[in-house]
C-alpha cells in the first residue's frame, strides 16, 4: 500500500524508534514524539537481540547502522556457557553451548542512539502526548498534530494503548527488580574466576533471585570493526539484577538510591542466607548504577492482547505485550512488531487490512515472549 499518509509514532523507545526509522527509510511521512529531551537518558542496561530481532532490524535501518550495532555489541557465541547456581553458590548446571548463537547483547543507550540517528529530524523530543484519536494526536502543551495512522509505542504505561483498551493493558507481576553494573576488574580474583566470562542465574528462599549478565562489547565484539564502535560499555562488565517479591517489607526499597539502596539489597539477601560469594557482584557495584523497577506483564493469552477493533489507532511493544525482563526478549519483540507493521503497510490493500494483519501477528508474538517471561517469574515467586 503506497498511499498511506502521515504516520505519528508516540514514544521514542526501542520499538517506536525502530518503526520510525523503517518508515523513514521506505519514504513514508513520519513523526516520532517522545517526552525525553535526551535519548541517552534511558533506563535499562543491556538488551539481547536474537536472530529474529536482528533480521527485523535489517529491514528497518540502513546496513551501516546494523554494522555499527554489531561493532558495539557483545556476541553470545564468544561467551562461556551460562551457569545456574543455588543461593549458596553451588553450581546446579549449565546452559547450552553458545558457539552457534547469532544473538548479541548491546547497551540500551547504544541501541537507542543508533535508532534515533536513523530517524533523524523526524524525531521530536520533549513532547508529551496527552491523548489521540482517529486522525490526530494532542500534546500536554496544548498543541496537536494530524495523522492518518497513530501508533502507540509508549511503553508499559502507554497513554495510547490504555485509551484503546479502555483501561490498563498489563499489571504488576508481584516482583520488583533492582539492577546495577559492576566492572569485572573491580571484583576479587576469586570473584572473577567464579563468575567467569558468562551469564548466570540463581533462585533463593522467599522469592529472591539473582541474574548476572556478562557484557563485553570490546573483547567480544560481534563485528571486529573498532572504527565503528560506540558502545557505552568499554570493558568487561557484569550487568546484574536482583529480584524480590513485592511486600510491605520490600516496598521501602523503592524509595532508596545509590549506596543506601545497594546496602539495603545486600541486607535483604543476607537475611535469606545467600552466600557472600554470590553477593560480591552487588557489593562491588558502582553505587550510582543501582536502580529499581517494578515488573509488569500483560496476559499470556494471545486473545487478550490488543483487545480493540483494528483501525487508524494501534500500538506495539510493551504498550501491548508488556514483558518482564525475565524473558530477555521484550525489546526484540518490539523491533519485530515494528518490522511487521511496516511490512503489512507495504502489502495490504487498505490501512485497516494492514493494521488487522499486524495486530494478529503481534498477539501471537507477544503471547510467546510473555509465556517465557512469566514462567521464570512464577518459579521465583514459588520459591519457599
Amino acid at each position: 500500500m503506497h498511499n498511506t499518509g502521515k504516520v505519528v509514532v508516540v514514544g521514542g523507545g526501542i520499538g517506536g524508534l525502530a518503526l520510525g526509522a523503517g518508515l523513514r527509510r521506505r519514504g513514508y511521512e513520519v513523526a516520532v514524539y517522545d517526552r525525553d529531551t535526551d535519548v541517552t537518558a534511558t533506563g535499562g542496561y543491556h538488551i539481547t537481540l536474537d536472530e529474529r530481532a536482528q533480521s527485523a532490524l535489517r529491514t528497518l535501518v540502513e546496513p551501516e547502522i546494523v554494522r555499527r550495532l554489531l561493532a558495539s555489541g557483545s556476541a553470545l557465541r564468544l561467551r562461556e556457557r551460562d551457569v545456574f547456581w543455588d543461593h549458596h553458590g553451588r553450581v546446579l548446571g549449565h546452559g547450552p553451548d553458545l558457539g552457534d548463537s547469532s544473538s548479541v547483547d548491546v547497551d540500551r543507550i547504544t541501541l537507542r542512539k543508533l535508532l534515533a540517528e536513523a530517524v533523524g529530524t523526524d524525531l521530536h523530543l520533549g513532547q508529551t502526548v496527552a491523548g489521540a484519536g482517529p486522525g490526530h494526536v494532542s500534546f500536554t502543551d496544548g498543541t496537536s498534530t494530524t495523522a492518518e495512522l497513530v501508533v502507540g509505542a509508549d511503553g508499559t504505561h502507554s497513554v495510547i494503548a490504555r485509551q484503546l483498551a479502555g483501561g490498563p493493558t498489563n499489571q504488576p507481576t508481584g516482583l520488583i527488580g533492582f539492577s546495577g553494573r559492576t566492572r569485572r576488574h573491580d571484583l576479587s580474583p576469586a570473584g572473577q574466576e567464579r563468575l567467569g566470562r558468562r551469564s548466570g542465574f540463581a533462585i533463593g528462599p522467599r522469592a529472591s533471585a539473582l541474574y548476572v549478565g556478562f557484557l563485553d562489547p570490546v573483547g567480544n565484539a560481534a563485528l571486529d570493526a573498532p572504527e565503528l564502535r560506540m558502545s557505552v560499555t568499554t570493558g568487561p562488565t557484569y550487568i546484574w539484577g536482583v529480584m524480590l517479591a513485592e511486600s510491605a517489607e520490600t516496598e521501602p526499597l523503592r524509595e532508596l538510591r545509590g549506596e543506601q539502596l545497594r546496602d539495603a539489597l545486600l541486607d535483604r539477601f543476607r537475611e535469606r542466607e545467600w552466600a557472600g560469594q554470590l553477593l560480591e557482584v552487588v557489593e562491588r557495584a558502582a553505587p550510582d548504577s543501582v536502580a529499581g523497577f517494578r515488573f509488569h506483564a500483560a496476559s499470556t493469552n494471545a486473545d487478550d492482547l490488543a483487545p480493540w477493533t483494528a483501525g487508524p489507532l494501534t500500538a506495539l511493544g510493551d504498550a501491548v505485550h508488556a514483558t518482564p525482563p525475565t524473558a530477555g526478549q521484550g525489546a526484540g519483540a518490539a523491533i519485530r512488531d515494528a518490522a511487521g507493521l511496516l511490512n503489512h503497510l507495504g502489502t495490504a490493500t487498505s490501512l485497516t487490512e494492514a493494521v488487522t494483519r499486524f495486530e494478529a501477528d503481534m498477539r501471537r508474538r507477544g503471547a510467546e515472549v510473555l509465556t517465557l517471561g512469566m514462567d521464570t517469574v512464577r518459579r521465583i515467586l514459588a520459591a519457599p
Side-chain angles (χ1 to χ4, degrees), residues 13-65:
I14 302 304
L17 290 175
L19 177 59
L23 289 166
R24 179 184 172 103
R25 187 184 183 198
R26 297 284 181 89
Y28 290 87
E29 182 185 359
V30 58
V32 180
Y33 295 94
D34 194 83
R35 64 186 179 186
D36 287 348
T37 56
D38 179 2
V39 295
T40 66
T42 182
Y45 291 102
H46 79 291
I47 289 170
T48 300
L49 300 178
D50 63 14
E51 179 53 42
R52 296 174 299 177
Q54 292 177 55
S55 178
L57 198 59
R58 290 186 182 96
T59 70
L60 297 166
V61 300
E62 298 292 340
E64 184 65 9
I65 296 287

Side-chain angles (χ1 to χ4, degrees), residues 178-382:
F178 302 88
S179 58
R181 299 170 66 96
T182 307
R183 294 177 298 183
R184 180 173 165 81
H185 67 68
D186 285 339
L187 294 177
S188 66
Q192 294 182 35
E193 176 68 23
R194 184 165 42 251
L195 292 182
R197 297 178 177 273
R198 62 191 178 188
S199 295
F201 184 65
I203 296 177
R206 294 165 53 198
S208 56
L210 169 68
Y211 166 75
V212 182
F214 179 70
L215 183 65
D216 185 7
V218 176
N220 284 6
L223 174 66
D224 185 15
E227 70 281 2
L228 300 178
R229 185 179 302 140
M230 54 179 290
S231 174
V232 300
T233 299
T234 56
T237 302
Y238 296 106
I239 313 296
W240 53 263
V242 297
M243 289 149 269
L244 292 164
E246 280 199 274
S247 67
E249 177 197 3
T250 57
E251 183 63 25
L253 295 172
R254 293 170 55 82
E255 305 301 319
L256 302 179
R257 299 290 184 274
E259 289 186 20
Q260 281 190 319
L261 175 56
R262 184 190 62 188
D263 292 347
L265 290 172
L266 289 167
D267 288 343
R268 296 300 192 284
F269 275 72
R270 287 170 182 143
E271 289 168 4
R272 289 162 173 78
E273 299 183 337
W274 279 70
Q277 61 186 32
L278 282 181
L279 299 179
E280 184 189 4
V281 70
V282 179
E283 193 173 15
R284 301 287 182 96
D288 62 358
S289 74
V290 184
F293 49 95
R294 172 182 275 150
F295 288 10
H296 284 78
S299 170
T300 57
N301 184 347
D303 292 339
D304 295 335
L305 304 177
W308 51 75
T309 302
L313 196 59
T314 188
L316 58 71
D318 276 347
V320 176
H321 47 80
T323 308
T326 47
Q329 295 188 21
I335 292 170
R336 292 164 60 200
D337 286 350
L341 178 54
L342 185 65
N343 176 61
H344 289 304
L345 287 174
T347 58
T349 58
S350 70
L351 180 60
T352 299
E353 180 186 341
V355 174
T356 299
R357 290 180 179 178
F358 155 69
E359 289 179 350
D361 289 346
M362 178 174 56
R363 290 183 185 101
R364 291 190 292 269
R365 182 164 43 247
E368 174 192 325
V369 298
L370 274 157
T371 297
L372 287 173
M374 287 306 297
D375 281 349
T376 304
V377 169
R378 292 186 184 106
R379 284 173 52 210
I380 296 170
L381 290 174

